[in-house]
Amino acid sequence: MDARSQSPRYHFLAFPIVGALLAALPFALHNNYYIGVMVFIGIHTILALGLNLLMGYAGQVSLGHAAFYGIGAYTTAILTTMLKWPPWVGLACAPMVAGLAAYLIGMPTLKLKGHYLAMATLGFGMIVKILFVEYYPLTGGTSGMTGIPPLSLGKLQLVDDRQFYYVVWFFALMLIWVSYNIVESRVGRALRAVHTSEIAAASVGVDIAKYKIQVFVLSGVYSGLAGALYAHYIRFVNPDPFGFMFSIQLVVMVVVGGMASIWGAIAGASAITLLSQVLQRFEDYEVIVFGAILVLVMIYMPQGLTKSIVDLTARRRSAKPSKPEVLP
Amino acid sequence: MTTGAVFLEAHDVTKRFGGLTAVDSVSFTMKLGTIKALIGPNGAGKSTMLNMLSGVYLPTSGRISVRTVDVTGQQAHKFVGLGIARTFQTVQLFGNMTVIENVVMGLHTKCKTGIIQSALRLPSVLREERMVFASAMEHLERVGLADRASELAVNLPYGQQRMLEIARAMASSPEMLMLDEPAAGLSMKETEHLALFVQEIRDSGIGVLVVDHDMRLIMDISDEVVVLDHGKKIAEGTPREVQTNPSVITAYLGEEAGDE
Amino acid sequence: MDLTSQILQYVLSGITVGAIYAIIALGFSLIYNAVEIVNLAQGEFVMLGAMLAVYVLQAAGVPLFAAVLIAIVVVGGVGALLGLAAIHRLKKSSPLSLIIITIGASIFFKGVAMHLWGKDALPLPAFSSGDAIEVHGAVLVPQSLWIFGITALMLLGVYIFYERTSFGKAMRAVAVNKHGARLVGINVNRMVVWAFAISAALGAVGGIIVAPVTLASYDMGTMLGLKGFCAAILGGLGSGGGAIAGGLILGILENLGAGLISSAYKDAIAFVVMLLILFVRPSGLFGGRSADGR
Ligand SMILES: Nc1ncnc2c1ncn2[C@@H]1O[C@H](COP(=O)(O)OP(=O)(O)O)[C@@H](O)[C@H]1O
Ligand SMILES: [Mg+2]
């Protein structure tokens, strides 16, 4: 797998372009419904970014990432409604709590060879969901928690979809930048090295387990932040969005966007979020389509849609000049 | 570094895979500034020995010590810190990285940038990157690969891949270098080049443990030879002593003549 | 009921459901041994078995045992297809993508089942009529006896297959050393497909025998599958005896915990047990393989 598909120059060019497009988008979208969808795409992008680092660079999968998302959402919900802490403080604490949870799960399992993390996160996800449902003194049970305060900037309360759009995408772009920096650094190099040859990576002193744990905690932190953003956007949490099915949807986003591709995370999050909006109209088909996408993409385009499309066009382009010049 | 000082000791090291005893109670010492050869027919347990001396395999029994400190059971990634670097029988490069990045990986333990500094791209990160790439370039120059620095490692011809692997190992400034069949697949000329380089490394005070089937190379460059057969050490001594040892001739050289 | 008969009741119900977990866990282990991947579609085979048996019974009007047989064979075939998809990628991809393929398949099967048979839970008749049996104040429905008996038969069958037949021995060789098996002329791909087929058929049996007690529904497989998975981890992934012990222990713990501590957290018990074992002894209670692979 070529994890180095993006060269730095290409990236730094892409950054302002994507930023400008995103900043301009709300002016083109008159319907608030679409702004809402864009907010969700932003939140899902943050989630997919973290999971993408884990799957694409640490070679591990989390089958319970929705739990960290949920922990982020409930952390800020509890802190801001029960303890009346300011929303920004809740937003700052949520990623820490989620990161800590990831550390506790990752620490014992990532030291082992094999896919123990997948199993542990699967179990963890189920337990967390059950806790959300059953531990109602803290979580409000199935009816959830209402009255989560909105984020505010000075006197301005961010209750409008358009305002929140900028908040979410500000964080999403920041984290894209951060993820990109990590991937293009000593740490990213070490992770790529592990990918090609674990034994050689160890022989030059790469502490594989340490990096896997760091990446997993980081992805937990991202998810916690996404969860907190979700909570302050919807201003209500209940256990529904944080189940096994959503964990799988996140995996689908990463797979479709392409593992080990930072920009692919946006692509995957957009594609799957939009697709599930469309599919909601034919609700029963949603799962079938998701399942089929997962299997087919994994079998026929294991690099993900974006990478495969780029490869295909590149092949076409490079095919032309290589043809002999002596055409009739 | 003091040439001749004992660096590493293996005491009665044994490795079993299920019912098969790949290495059977082998002991020897490695000195600084010395080339030691480990020879024996295919399947004798040479690679397994190297894998134990670099933490890839856990010995079933026995002890390994470095500068008299017991390091048995340490994880593989800790061995670089102990001053041990190695190459592999089947070349293990980071194929999707450039040639220079491979050497930069060899400098991994000499850098400090962690995940948080990299995430924020602090100035210290960029400074360290510049330093590391410059240092890697020097290592590439030593093996004559400087002009191919920005190519992908997979695109190098085989002989150069082997040299790159050695350059990567040397980048960690080891005190002991282990080479598993470095001459396999090399041309005569490349082998000569390799011999000179290995002797140069030895002369700088580094201990070299080399496994190879090229007897001329081994007899030319080694100071000491250890012979393994079916996992057991059957002889140890200078190249000359080993060559005239009757059990070596029957167990090893005879077989060698028979199947190659 | 006094405390002892209450506990006896929990243990008996625990063994009943534990037997199902054991069959499912065995399916996980068979596939894990063949390809070293966790087949997360295992639970859906359980569901497909139960749903198909109900459907064939109603639609074709055949006797119960014929419906059951048809269901098992069809599910085995579906398993073989999944196995084919897996080996298609086996050489090229990481275990990660194989696991993802099985997740996709599991979602797909569930969605298709919901479409074909709806969201309602459907009944499958018990294998024999008769009254509940009383044992020291605890009650046992006759279907439980069927579950014990059939599970024991299945486990024995798998054991004989692996230990006594040359085909089974070849499969074990694949499990121990794929490369070596190839060298001695064993067709590894065929073995992988068979491992999927057998696991799927086993899962189907599990679903069919439990359906008269729990009813059959399109979403019954997920939880059963995941708990069977917990059982496999508890016993040691890849160990046949471990799968059985893990299933029974888990079933009993779950029922005791729900009865004596809190029924609200009943579904969490299996996962807590799994996390604990992963943290403390990742190779499982009876698994031999060391987890760090040195
Ligand atoms: N990981 C392993 N698992 C099982 N057997 C192994 C393993 N590594 C090596 N062996 C066996 O150990 C013996 C010694 O192998 P090796 O050390 O590679 O020999 P050499 O390098 O001297 O040719 C061989 O019989 C080989 O098949
Ligand atoms: Mg060897």
Side-chain angles (χ1 to χ4, degrees), chain B residues 17 20 22 41-48 57 89:
Chain B
F17 295 108
L20 177 102
N42 276 323
K46 306 177 298 287
S47 297
T48 304
Y57 291 159
Q89 181 170 346

Side-chain angles (χ1 to χ4, degrees), chain A residues 39 74 103 155 192 247 306 324:
Chain A
V39 169
Y74 273 94
Y103 179 76
K155 289 255 177 309
R192 275 187 280 142
S247 293
T306 36

Side-chain angles (χ1 to χ4, degrees), chain B residues 201-216:
Chain B
I201 291 171
R202 183 253 324 263
D203 295 339
S204 70
I206 295 173
V208 183
L209 182 62
V210 53
V211 170
D212 211 280
H213 287 294
D214 185 332
M215 280 311 129
R216 255 195 53 205

